[in-house]
Amino acid sequence: MPDAAATRGLLLDAARELVAEHGTATSLREIARRAGVGIGTLYRHFPNREALLDALLHANFERLQGRAATLLGSPDPADALLTWLAELASGAATYDGLPESIMSALADESSPLYASCSQMKTAAGLLLRRAQEVGLVRADVTVGDAVALVLGLAWSGGRAGEASDLAARLLTR
Amino acid sequence: MPDAAATRGLLLDAARELVAEHGTATSLREIARRAGVGIGTLYRHFPNREALLDALLHANFERLQGRAATLLGSPDPADALLTWLAELASGAATYDGLPESIMSALADESSPLYASCSQMKTAAGLLLRRAQEVGLVRADVTVGDAVALVLGLAWSGGRAGEASDLAARLLTR
DNA sequence: ACCTGAACACCGTTCAAGT
DNA sequence: ACCTGAACACCGTTCAAGT
């Protein structure tokens, strides 16, 4: 009586370790090996790399989503936006290759990561619009620009504080 | 009587096309195929992907090097730095994956791309120091920071003008 | 239901063999 | 000298076969 839920857990544990060691492009075969499971079993649980990543990052996406909701109610719209973007940057810097994975997912509606990443982008859009309406952030910045910028900063490996500082200088007026 | 120089040219032509189409991580086998040459011949001319990329980018590196020398003599040190960094950004945006390749090369002395990339970094360092000495650019910025930032901006796909604008806001005081 | 692993079509890289 | 392509050790992905 194989326990599918337990198998799934083994796969996610192995994936967490190997993605932490070698980035989001790590070998799926090696994940299956470390989980002590056949390669077919990995595919049975996760149809592709993006689906596995989505499951791996689920908690992080939810946390960021919650933070956006909270910050939307905060009194300083510009600070709320910049705080959230800094948290996005540090989240995207969790794993090597993650900024790339997110950027690709945003450009591919059929990616299993698309829904989660799209929600992030929507959240960013709400925070951005609020800051722009009060005139605290340049009106010519699009959500796409802001997210690409922040992922680019995360990609280039600046510390979170630095990235936040940079984003502030870039977006505010 | 096979002409090695001609073969090399065929390989570089094929590489230019395929790297333009599919980025710096494109298949080396396919490059050999398009060049009408055996895979062993590709390896005989270029021991690995980075060596091929270095040959492909040689003219661009030389041009940037020349621009740095010129700009070092220009009257406005901050403008010279920002102009050069913008040109680096647009150069790095020539091929998909190129910012990644450059960043990796800078972190690996044994890479065939290391020498060229290192020279770029040195040139950036001279321009940066000059701007800092006049107090036009923040003193806490290192060459590594500046280059990583610019490559990150190139990676995230902003237009050249935008990237230049961003770099200016980030570095100047 | 759930899992396995051989099979397929690809890689990058090396190297004996051909001209 | 220069080139070739089989060979090796890896991939991602699928799917018939096992329990």
Side-chain angles (χ1 to χ4, degrees), chain B residues 127-146:
Chain B
L127 287 161
L128 175 65
R129 168 170 312 200
R130 194 169 73 115
Q132 283 173 328
E133 275 169 359
V134 194
L136 289 171
V137 162
R138 298 163 48 180
D140 63 330
V141 174
T142 70
V143 211
D145 290 344

Side-chain angles (χ1 to χ4, degrees), chain A residues 74-171:
Chain A
S74 88
D76 183 341
D79 183 65
L81 171 66
L82 296 173
T83 299
W84 192 84
L85 288 178
E87 291 181 19
L88 173 62
S90 83
T94 308
Y95 297 121
D96 192 39
L98 186 51
E100 178 85 54
S101 301
I102 296 172
M103 203 78 137
S104 301
L106 283 172
D108 174 15
E109 292 188 28
S110 74
S111 166
L113 260 174
Y114 178 75
S116 300
C117 293
S118 239
Q119 280 172 29
M120 292 304 107
K121 198 171 162 181
T122 301
L126 294 176
L127 287 161
L128 175 64
R129 166 171 313 202
R130 194 168 71 115
Q132 284 173 326
E133 274 170 359
V134 193
L136 290 171
V137 162
R138 299 162 47 182
D140 63 330
V141 174
T142 69
V143 211
D145 290 342
V147 169
L149 170 66
V150 164
L151 291 178
L153 293 175
W155 178 88
S156 71
R159 293 150 279 157
E162 196 177 272
S164 146
D165 183 42
L166 298 181
R169 285 161 162 270
L170 289 171
L171 297 175

Side-chain angles (χ1 to χ4, degrees), chain B residues 29-78:
Chain B
R29 282 181 115 104
E30 198 169 338
I31 291 174
R33 249 168 349 235
R34 185 167 304 194
V37 138
I39 180 65
T41 300
L42 182 148
Y43 276 90
R44 158 175 261 270
H45 285 268
F46 307 101
N48 51 45
R49 162 174 272 115
E50 285 71 34
L52 180 53
L53 272 180
D54 190 45
L56 208 59
L57 298 169
H58 187 256
N60 308 261
F61 282 133
E62 286 224 315
R63 187 174 38 74
L64 269 172
Q65 199 72 23
R67 285 290 289 151
T70 303
L71 286 165
L72 262 178
S74 88
D76 182 341

Side-chain angles (χ1 to χ4, degrees), chain B:
Chain B
M1 54 160 202
D3 183 345
T7 302
R8 196 186 131 98
L10 289 175
L11 281 165
L12 284 174
D13 288 346
R16 211 174 330 261
E17 286 178 21
L18 284 163
V19 169
E21 284 175 41
H22 302 115
T24 60
T26 196
S27 158
L28 297 180
R29 282 181 115 104
E30 198 169 338
I31 291 174
R33 249 168 349 235
R34 185 167 304 194
V37 138
I39 180 65
T41 300
L42 182 148
Y43 276 90
R44 158 175 261 270
H45 285 268
F46 307 101
N48 51 45
R49 162 174 272 115
E50 285 71 34
L52 180 53
L53 272 180
D54 190 45
L56 208 59
L57 298 169
H58 187 256
N60 308 261
F61 282 133
E62 286 224 315
R63 187 174 38 74
L64 269 172
Q65 199 72 23
R67 285 290 289 151
T70 303
L71 286 165
L72 262 178
S74 88
D76 182 341
D79 183 63
L81 171 65
L82 296 174
T83 300
W84 192 84
L85 288 178
E87 291 181 19
L88 173 61
S90 85
T94 309
Y95 297 122
D96 193 39
L98 185 51
E100 178 83 55
S101 301
I102 296 173
M103 202 78 138
S104 301
L106 284 172
D108 174 16
E109 291 188 28
S110 74
S111 166
L113 260 175
Y114 178 76
S116 300
C117 293
S118 240
Q119 280 172 29
M120 291 305 106
K121 198 171 162 181
T122 301
L126 295 176
L127 287 161
L128 175 65
R129 168 170 312 200
R130 194 169 73 115
Q132 283 173 328
E133 275 169 359
V134 194
L136 289 171
V137 162
R138 298 163 48 180
D140 63 330
V141 174
T142 70
V143 211
D145 290 344
V147 169
L149 170 65
V150 164
L151 292 177
L153 293 176
W155 178 89
S156 71
R159 293 148 282 158
E162 196 178 89
S164 147
D165 183 42
L166 298 182
R169 287 162 161 268
L170 289 171
L171 297 175
T172 55
R173 30 177 285 158

